[in-house]
Each structure stands twice: as C-alpha cells, then as structure tokens.
Amino acid sequence: MADAINSEFAFEIRAKVSKPLDFGAGRNGSRMVFRIIDGSVSGPKFEGRILPGGADYALVRADGVTVIEAHYVIQNIDGTCVYVKNKGLFIANKDAIDRMDRGDPVADEEVYFRAAPVFDAPDGPHSWLADRLFISTCRFSLDEVTIRVYTVL
C-alpha cells in the first residue's frame, strides 16, 4: 500500500468574481455569495473559458473557517461544456484576511485554501474529467480566484 498520493498538474482556472453579496449571520454561520462573471482555463490537459452565471456560495463558520461551494460551467475550446462543483476550505487569521481585503500581499503560507473539484463532463474527449478525482490549490485577490487543478494518480 502506498504511503503518499501522487498527483499531476492538469490545468489552471482563473475565475473573475464579483464583490460578495453578504447575507449576514445565520444559524450555520455567515453566508456570502460571489457571482462568477467569466474566466479562463489553460493547461496541458484542458483549455477553455468560464461561462457567466456561476457562483461561489461561501459560508463563514463561527470558528472563522470559510467553507466554499462553487458551481459553474467551463466551455472547452472545442465547444464542449463541463459542469463544475468545487468544494473546499479557506483558513487564514484575521490580519491576513484584512490585508487581502485591502488588496495587500499575503504570503502563501499564511493561507490554507484547498478544494476538491468534481467535473460532470459528457461522453467524448473530455469524459476523463468525470472519471478521475482532483485536488486543487487556490488563491484569490479582490476580483479573481486562481485554482490550480491536479489529477490524483
């Protein structure tokens, strides 16, 4: 049995997002919705663009951890559309979050932002996306999220 999980870089997603709609505190935490406006996908395994209409439904728990759940569609350069559901966690201390909100630089080690995207692809050349597990590292600025997607081997 292997002790480590190997992965291979597949592609990078760069999603343009709106300012959050803040719904305030609820029973499970504070809900924010970031509309996904557009974006691009590039890499050795897949290329295309993000279609407008998706969103990230973020929930900030009482302990400060943000649970992300984004739903959107990627259109490959050949016209094939692939539905994406990306769930993950964002963890950073208040100082790092305040600096991000101002647009100031934050070191990668100050933020834990990881996700596990799931792709719903039709039969054809991109069906491999629906037949593999993926992990991703994520980074965001005031108006963009960058997601580096890795295939679990």
Side-chain angles (χ1 to χ4, degrees):
M1 185 169 179
D3 291 333
I5 296 175
N6 294 319
S7 64
E8 175 182 71
F9 175 68
F11 49 87
E12 182 176 273
I13 299 168
R14 295 178 72 93
K16 296 284 185 191
V17 296
S18 69
K19 291 185 180 186
L21 301 170
D22 190 343
F23 290 88
R27 290 181 182 182
N28 298 315
S30 296
R31 177 72 65 186
M32 294 185 299
V33 176
F34 297 82
R35 290 178 295 117
I36 299 171
I37 300 164
D38 69 4
S40 62
V41 181
S42 61
K45 304 279 187 179
F46 197 79
E47 289 195 46
R49 67 185 189 109
I50 298 173
L51 299 180
D56 177 6
Y57 303 92
L59 179 69
V60 182
R61 301 185 321 207
D63 63 1
V65 172
T66 301
V67 178
I68 64 159
E69 184 169 333
H71 298 253
Y72 52 97
V73 175
I74 297 172
Q75 184 178 45
N76 186 272
I77 56 174
D78 68 8
T80 303
C81 289
V82 176
Y83 174 76
V84 183
K85 181 164 78 171
N86 200 8
K87 294 177 113 176
L89 295 175
F90 171 84
I91 303 168
N93 66 36
K94 182 170 178 4
D95 177 59
I97 292 170
D98 289 345
R99 284 184 281 135
M100 287 177 162
D101 287 345
R102 289 191 306 266
D104 296 341
V106 175
D108 287 342
E109 58 272 5
E110 293 184 82
V111 177
Y112 181 87
F113 191 5
R114 305 289 185 272
V118 175
F119 301 94
D120 185 359
D123 288 338
H126 309 297
S127 62
W128 66 275
L129 288 163
D131 297 334
R132 299 288 184 275
L133 294 176
F134 297 88
I135 54 175
S136 65
T137 60
C138 311
R139 186 133 179 88
F140 79 90
S141 64
L142 294 176
D143 63 351
E144 184 175 80
V145 178
T146 302
I147 304 163
R148 292 187 53 84
V149 178
Y150 299 84
T151 307
V152 177
L153 301 175

